[in-house]
Every structure is written in C-alpha cells, then in structure tokens.
Amino acid sequence: MYFKVICLAAFVSAVMSQHGHEHAHSSQHISKHDGHAEPVVIKDHHGHEKHVDYYTHPKYEFKYEVSDKHTGDHKTQHEHRDGDVVKGFYSLHEPDGSVRDVHYESDKKTGFHAEVKHSTHHIVPEHHHHH
C-alpha cells in the first residue's frame, strides 16, 4: 500500500513539473504506527503447540491531495487502519463537473461498505462578447 501511495505522489510531481503548472499542487502524508510484536501461538487439534510467530498490530494513516486548476484535476483521499478496521474517504471532481464523495469502511465482521454521494455543480461556460 505504501508503495502505491509513494508511486502516485512521484507520478503527480513528475507530471506537474513537466507541464509547468505553477498553480497546481499536490500533497501527501503517510504515518505508520509500529506496535510491539505480540506472540501468536498456533496449536494443533490435540492442543500441542505447532508454531510461534510474531504479529505486530497493523496501524497506519495516509492522505493525499491533488489540485490543478488548469486541468481540472481535483482529488483527495484519507485512510486509516487500526487492526482489522479500515476507514477512509475520497473525493474527486468528475469530468461533468459533479463531485463524487465516497466514505468507506471495512472490518472482518461486516466486510466492506461504501457510501457514495454525487454533488452536481452546474458548469456555466464563459461567453466572450466581441465588439
């Protein structure tokens, strides 16, 4: 997951520098919370210990944002995980001018759930009058 976020950030930075859009920006933040390793004992059906492994409680948070007025590319995402629970939000501007907002969460008990909302913003084209 971190690799994907870092690749996306590098790609956005490269594209923006090639096109020289000074009014565009992107930002990203990744925070990984390393916990203490906890022993996990796996026993066979007779109750005998078969294997001992170590498990660190997964916990992270990341967010990024892209805003380019020239191309109209506007998006943001925020996600955090604590154990088996993942919650997040992303928003992006669609080509038709609407904005898609998605709140999602996932856990072992209930699976993945997402709430998607579309906000319509009317695009009014500029008319240039020639005199």
Side-chain angles (χ1 to χ4, degrees):
M1 177 54 101
Y2 295 119
F3 181 71
K4 291 178 185 178
V5 173
I6 291 169
C7 287
L8 175 66
F11 173 74
V12 169
S13 296
V15 169
M16 288 176 21
S17 67
Q18 287 177 353
H19 294 291
H21 298 302
E22 295 177 20
H23 54 275
H25 78 272
S26 79
S27 63
Q28 58 276 338
H29 169 78
I30 301 170
S31 177
K32 183 177 180 221
H33 308 278
D34 289 327
H36 298 289
E38 300 175 22
V40 176
V41 179
I42 300 173
K43 297 184 180 185
D44 65 17
H45 63 280
H46 296 293
H48 298 105
E49 185 176 306
K50 289 175 65 175
H51 177 71
V52 176
D53 199 356
Y54 292 93
Y55 168 75
T56 300
H57 182 81
K59 188 172 182 180
Y60 67 82
E61 179 176 356
F62 78 85
K63 58 185 167 182
Y64 72 88
E65 178 181 359
V66 175
S67 181
D68 186 338
K69 293 178 184 176
H70 178 74
T71 64
D73 188 13
H74 299 282
K75 59 186 131 217
T76 183
Q77 182 174 6
H78 177 248
E79 180 177 291
H80 65 275
R81 177 179 181 178
D82 191 354
D84 292 326
V85 178
V86 177
K87 294 183 180 182
F89 166 80
Y90 72 88
S91 177
L92 62 95
H93 288 230
E94 300 279 11
D96 66 358
S98 65
V99 177
R100 180 181 357 157
D101 291 329
V102 180
H103 291 268
Y104 60 91
E105 60 183 78
S106 177
D107 62 45
K108 273 187 163 181
K109 293 180 184 177
T110 62
F112 179 82
H113 301 278
E115 180 182 339
V116 181
K117 292 184 180 178
H118 292 273
S119 306
T120 304
H121 297 279
H122 298 287
I123 299 175
V124 180
E126 287 186 33
H127 295 287
H128 298 282
H129 298 285
H130 298 285
H131 297 283

